[in-house]
Amino acid sequence: MSGSNLPTSPVPPSLEHHLKHFFGYDSFRPGQREIVEAALEKRDQMIVMPTGGGKSLCFQLPALLKPGLSVVVSPLIALMQDQVEALVDNGIGATFLNSTLNSLEARSRETAILEGKIKLLYVAPERLLGERFLPFLDIVAAKLGISAFAIDEAHCVSEWGHDFRPEYRQMERVRDRYPDIPIMALTATATERVRQDIIQQLTLRNPYIHVASFNRPNLYYEVRAKNKHSFAEVLKIIQKKGGSGIIYCLSRKKVEEVAYKLQQSGIQALPYHAGMSNVDRTTNQTRFIRDDVQVMVATVAFGMGINKPDVRFVIHYDLPKNLEGYYQESGRAGRDNEPSHCTLFFGFGDVKTIEYMLELKPDPQEQRIGRQQLRRVINYAESTDCRRTIQLSYFGDSFPGNCGNCDNCCNKKPVEDWTVEAMKFLSGVARCKEKFGMNHIIDILRGSKNQKVLQYQHDKLSTYGIGKDRSADDWKMLVRSLLNQGLLDETTDGFPILKLNEKSWEIMKRQRTVEIAIKPKQEVQATNRSLAVEVESLFAILRTLRKQIADEQFVPPYVIFADKSLRDMAEKRPQNLTEFVKVYGVGSNKRDKYGKVFLEAIRNFCQEKGLPTGAAPSAIVQSSNVPNLPSYTQMQTWELHRKGLTVEGIAEIRGMSSTTIVGHLVELIDMEQKVDIHLLVEPERQQPIVQAIEIIGDERLKAIYEFLQEAYSFEEIKLVRAWWRQNYVGF
């Protein structure tokens, strides 16, 4: 279907009218309207907009409003296929040409282009600059016209360069060949230097530049202490948030372990890591994208080019290596701008793991930079400041704090005036001529006599010993806050040297005060948000219906409707097509294509529940208690036990001692897992042990052993006692 059939009206329709007609949205996101207007004025553009900011619409809507073909250059096959599927499902003429097509399919699509049936063509840079393709574009330009070139992932021009897509460096050939056709460069991340390099490489002429904030306000960020209960907390997050999620782990082994434990806990989960075959990785990724499974457990190998907008939670079960990686990985949640959850579990065991990995790197400079990046992650995890302030300052983007959507801001900590302490510390940095790092300055303030302080004669400085009233941890907390608030700088070359900036001098001149959040002795847990039962129930039904339709059409579910659209349906409960088109993301095409079937599901739900139309009443959904769950190694033992193997047989297969295997089985019994005691201890030997326990009690293992005159092994007694405790205690 052609995308050029614009609705007729005696008055020229507004951009918002076209936005609703083609995409079902009532209003533009920040910055989009200005970008579309600049595109309609045929201006070159440099667009930096974070993931989930709506970059695609910035070139898709102008393509539908201008005559001719728009060419979109994308380096990722998966992304271009996903975008084309979504456009076609909206009734828009779009296609792609890439290496997945055979020659017959490619010729058929080229014919459709020349017949004017296509408004958006997606190609990889290699094909765009190929000897055969450019002459084809010349024909298109002469016959239909080319309205614009959109260069997606434009940072490939500068940041990745020849290491990733050398063809991006040759994009200036496009400008030379088609000098009058506007070029729009788009990327999610780019520093000022990279932006200027992109403009130069693509020879953009007086471009309209839009740089959006890196802030993702729909994402809730939190850090939790990592302990033996962390897996149970993961289960609670999955149960509470629902929807799709990604869990990141540091190692392949941990990925396999967590995925296995989730499966045993009734969660549909799959692993993804570089140690798997390409076929297995692709299969698991496809099943995740199409909602066949709920959770993907992965190393950082997963995520590049994943265009799944409805990821509701991202959990870092292990510590990330750097803040940039954490921002990118956590940012895969909520690309549809719906509320989503990002949780980081922080434990010092992970710090040691990453430090060991860094030691394996052969380049000393790379090791130093890696350690400094790790320190930034630790500072982020331990900080009491707004999580967004810390993240965005890392990318040179300022944020005032008090975001209201992170654990530190939702659980307000006492704020104290530390201006005097800040003056002392900054004075120490100045007197050391800005040549040292945090720990050395703290040593000076606290009057340390370590070798480095004495070597530089810093015990002679006027700041020596003036900070003895504060602990080293107090000073570190202050320094972290100064860095996060942009009141102090630190070099990033692997040697973290503290540097004063303009704001630092304002503090020392008493022109600026410093307030920091103090961590209370007992952290207050964030209050769980209540959910309306009816809305959640209907939302689940609509998700199931969406999945059925998507499977029939062999497309990902989000191509049919975004989560935000389904939730809007569940809240509004439309009863006819007129009401249905008022739902977020429902345009004319989706109304005609899916309206009847979704309306029927909504009506059936309302009839079954005896509900009126309109917004559902609120009701609290209580989270269920999560039981203590077996570890990965315990589950492996349990699987062999369920196959009927004896303790000795399991021990032989697993290469462990019988005592260890018995320990696993006892712990499994304690967790109320189904363990067959008759396979482990003969029935006639169980009864004397039970009688002994009932006579002398179950507390002291040795007492039972001696009461039975050492006729029964400790392993037999342990197993029977565990079974007895589960079956007889309390009756």
Side-chain angles (χ1 to χ4, degrees):
M1 183 186 296
S2 174
S4 59
N5 55 331
L6 300 180
T8 59
S9 174
V11 178
S14 66
L15 287 179
E16 282 77 11
H17 179 89
H18 294 310
L19 181 70
K20 180 64 178 176
H21 173 72
F22 288 116
F23 299 100
Y25 306 139
D26 294 316
S27 60
F28 288 100
R29 296 180 188 175
Q32 284 183 328
R33 197 181 208 284
E34 293 79 5
I35 295 169
V36 171
E37 289 173 339
L40 295 177
E41 294 170 0
K42 300 182 179 181
R43 288 190 64 179
D44 286 350
Q45 299 195 62
M46 173 73 250
I47 309 302
V48 182
M49 192 176 283
T51 299
K55 290 192 299 297
S56 300
L57 187 137
C58 293
F59 59 78
Q60 290 173 351
L61 183 57
L64 302 175
L65 302 180
K66 294 196 292 185
L69 176 75
S70 279
V71 179
V72 183
V73 181
S74 174
L76 302 167
I77 289 176
L79 277 177
M80 69 170 72
Q81 291 174 336
D82 282 347
Q83 289 201 14
V84 167
E85 285 177 347
L87 288 166
V88 170
D89 198 67
N90 264 326
I92 295 169
T95 192
F96 60 81
L97 291 171
N98 60 36
S99 58
T100 66
L101 305 175
N102 59 41
S103 57
L104 183 62
E105 290 172 323
R107 281 196 299 271
S108 173
R109 296 186 182 207
E110 289 173 356
T111 300
I113 292 169
L114 293 173
E115 291 176 351
K117 297 178 180 178
I118 303 299
K119 294 295 293 178
L120 285 130
L121 169 63
Y122 285 73
V123 295
E126 298 91 340
R127 180 176 291 267
L128 174 67
L129 298 169
E131 292 182 3
R132 180 182 175 277
F133 191 75
L134 285 174
F136 170 72
L137 274 189
D138 290 341
I139 298 172
V140 173
K143 185 175 181 180
L144 303 169
I146 298 175
S147 60
F149 289 98
I151 313 299
D152 205 6
E153 308 293 341
H155 57 276
C156 296
V157 168
S158 174
E159 193 169 87
W160 291 348
H162 299 282
D163 292 335
F164 182 66
R165 293 283 181 178
E167 290 78 9
Y168 267 83
R169 286 288 190 182
Q170 302 172 34
M171 284 295 173
E172 60 182 338
R173 289 170 51 194
V174 173
R175 174 44 51 91
D176 292 340
R177 196 177 187 105
Y178 308 105
D180 299 325
I181 297 174
I183 296 176
M184 180 188 293
L186 306 104
T187 181
T189 56
T191 63
E192 171 63 24
R193 180 187 62 81
V194 172
R195 292 198 298 271
Q196 292 304 319
D197 197 19
I198 292 171
I199 292 170
Q200 180 181 351
Q201 291 293 333
L202 298 179
T203 59
L204 303 184
R205 295 187 293 252
N206 187 29
Y208 174 78
I209 300 175
H210 176 84
V211 182
S213 170
F214 288 97
N215 185 23
R216 299 281 305 283
N218 61 309
L219 301 186
Y220 177 84
Y221 292 100
E222 68 169 352
V223 177
R224 300 190 184 194
K226 191 172 185 180
N227 53 46
K228 63 181 180 180
H229 302 299
S230 293
F231 184 76
E233 292 183 45
V234 168
L235 284 178
K236 286 183 178 179
I237 293 171
I238 295 173
Q239 292 169 350
K240 177 185 174 185
K241 301 308 296 181
S244 299
I246 303 171
I247 300 176
Y248 282 106
C249 303
L250 271 174
S251 67
R252 301 174 186 180
K253 180 181 178 182
K254 182 61 72 66
V255 165
E256 295 285 353
E257 177 180 337
V258 173
Y260 183 83
K261 289 175 70 174
L262 288 173
Q263 292 164 2
Q264 296 300 318
S265 302
I267 304 295
Q268 294 178 312
L270 288 174
Y272 187 106
H273 57 72
M276 299 166 59
S277 69
N278 289 334
V279 173
D280 288 343
R281 284 202 306 271
T282 301
T283 299
N284 288 2
Q285 177 176 308
T286 301
R287 292 187 65 193
F288 176 67
I289 288 175
R290 300 205 168 179
D291 285 352
D292 293 332
V293 296
Q294 182 184 6
V295 178
M296 182 68 82
V297 187
T299 59
V300 293
F302 179 76
M304 179 67 175
I306 302 304
N307 188 30
K308 184 170 174 58
D310 56 350
V311 173
R312 295 277 71 88
F313 60 88
V314 171
I315 298 171
H316 279 73
Y317 198 68
D318 295 330
L319 198 66
K321 297 177 184 177
N322 55 66
L323 275 183
E324 184 174 358
Y326 178 67
Y327 177 83
Q328 292 173 345
E329 291 148 21
S330 62
R332 286 165 189 145
R335 293 179 60 169
D336 54 5
N337 278 316
E338 286 292 280
S340 303
H341 206 88
C342 303
T343 301
L344 167 62
F345 284 94
F346 172 58
F348 280 98
D350 293 339
V351 174
K352 297 300 181 185
T353 300
I354 296 175
E355 287 176 342
Y356 173 74
M357 296 165 69
L358 291 173
E359 289 173 2
L360 299 178
K361 293 182 177 295
D363 185 355
Q365 175 68 0
E366 194 174 348
Q367 288 183 11
R368 284 192 294 269
I369 293 174
R371 291 191 190 98
Q372 185 174 3
Q373 291 174 332
L374 176 58
R375 281 193 292 271
R376 296 288 292 268
V377 175
I378 297 171
N379 288 347
Y380 172 82
E382 293 186 326
S383 179
T384 56
D385 294 322
C386 169
R387 303 287 181 198
R388 275 178 174 72
T389 298
I390 304 169
Q391 286 187 19
L392 300 181
S393 68
Y394 182 84
F395 294 101
D397 194 358
S398 62
F399 187 80
N402 297 319
C403 72
N405 204 24
C406 76
D407 54 349
N408 283 344
C409 290
C410 290
N411 303 299
K412 287 293 185 181
K413 299 167 179 64
V415 175
E416 294 182 1
D417 188 321
W418 278 49
T419 306
V420 173
E421 286 82 356
M423 292 174 65
K424 291 179 180 179
F425 187 87
L426 296 173
S427 179
V429 174
R431 281 168 173 71
C432 289
K433 301 181 179 179
E434 303 174 71
K435 293 182 179 180
F436 295 86
M438 173 179 67
N439 290 332
H440 185 71
I441 305 300
I442 292 174
D443 284 343
I444 294 170
L445 294 176
R446 300 193 70 246
S448 171
K449 295 186 179 296
N450 67 30
Q451 182 179 357
K452 190 174 180 181
V453 171
L454 299 178
Q455 174 188 344
Y456 288 98
Q457 297 187 351
H458 286 164
D459 55 328
K460 311 296 184 188
L461 296 175
S462 60
T463 51
Y464 182 77
I466 64 173
K468 290 181 179 180
D469 56 324
R470 297 287 186 183
S471 69
D473 287 340
D474 287 341
W475 286 113
K476 289 178 182 178
M477 178 177 64
L478 170 64
V479 178
R480 282 196 294 265
S481 191
L482 291 173
L483 291 169
N484 293 336
Q485 294 183 59
L487 306 177
L488 178 66
D489 294 333
E490 184 180 56
T491 56
T492 59
D493 58 356
F495 297 95
I497 306 303
L498 297 176
K499 299 289 184 180
L500 302 173
N501 57 33
E502 185 177 344
K503 294 177 182 178
S504 306
W505 288 106
E506 289 176 1
I507 294 169
M508 287 192 284
K509 294 175 183 178
R510 296 184 179 273
Q511 297 171 351
R512 178 186 290 270
T513 59
V514 176
E515 292 184 340
I516 66 172
I518 306 299
K519 187 178 295 185
K521 294 180 180 179
Q522 288 187 332
E523 293 288 345
V524 181
Q525 294 298 319
T527 303
N528 293 334
R529 297 167 180 156
S530 62
L531 302 172
V533 172
E534 290 86 357
V535 170
E536 291 305 309
S537 298
L538 180 54
F539 178 66
I541 291 171
L542 297 178
R543 278 178 60 91
T544 301
L545 176 59
R546 178 182 67 174
K547 180 72 170 72
Q548 292 171 352
I549 295 172
D551 288 346
E552 291 170 1
Q553 298 184 16
F554 300 102
V555 296
Y558 56 78
V559 168
I560 309 301
F561 281 120
D563 272 7
K564 186 172 182 177
S565 298
L566 296 187
R567 192 170 293 282
D568 202 30
M569 286 181 211
E571 291 174 350
K572 292 178 178 174
R573 297 201 292 263
Q575 299 295 299
N576 53 56
L577 290 175
T578 302
E579 294 177 359
F580 190 73
V581 80
K582 296 177 181 177
V583 169
Y584 174 87
V586 176
S588 305
N589 190 71
K590 287 197 183 287
R591 174 199 63 196
D592 298 338
K593 196 170 184 179
Y594 303 118
K596 290 182 180 179
V597 65
F598 277 89
L599 285 172
E600 182 181 0
I602 294 168
R603 291 193 200 105
N604 290 341
F605 177 83
C606 292
Q607 185 176 359
E608 179 185 335
K609 300 292 184 181
L611 297 172
T613 59
S618 295
I620 306 299
V621 176
Q622 298 293 339
S623 298
S624 59
N625 292 326
V626 181
N628 190 17
L629 291 163
S631 67
Y632 185 55
T633 188
Q634 290 167 345
M635 293 303 291
Q636 289 179 306
T637 294
W638 189 44
E639 288 290 336
L640 294 172
H641 166 72
R642 291 169 67 188
K643 292 178 181 178
L645 273 70
T646 63
V647 169
E648 291 74 17
I650 298 172
E652 183 176 353
I653 290 175
R654 298 209 58 199
M656 296 178 173
S657 68
S658 296
T659 302
T660 300
I661 299 301
V662 167
H664 291 168
L665 293 166
V666 167
E667 289 160 350
L668 288 164
I669 295 171
D670 291 342
M671 296 176 194
E672 300 183 15
Q673 302 295 331
K674 292 183 179 179
V675 174
D676 189 347
I677 189 66
H678 301 309
L679 284 176
L680 305 173
V681 182
E682 296 174 3
E684 61 270 17
R685 293 182 66 80
Q686 295 174 28
Q687 193 57 37
I689 299 174
V690 169
Q691 291 174 347
I693 290 172
E694 291 176 342
I695 293 172
I696 67 170
D698 67 330
E699 293 300 320
R700 296 175 60 234
L701 195 66
K702 188 175 181 181
I704 301 171
Y705 177 71
E706 292 174 347
F707 182 86
L708 292 169
Q709 298 180 350
E710 304 181 5
Y712 298 84
S713 68
F714 278 107
E715 284 74 17
E716 288 176 307
I717 297 171
K718 286 179 184 178
L719 289 164
V720 173
R721 181 177 65 169
W723 173 82
W724 179 85
R725 284 173 170 172
Q726 290 299 325
N727 290 275
Y728 288 96
V729 172
F731 285 89

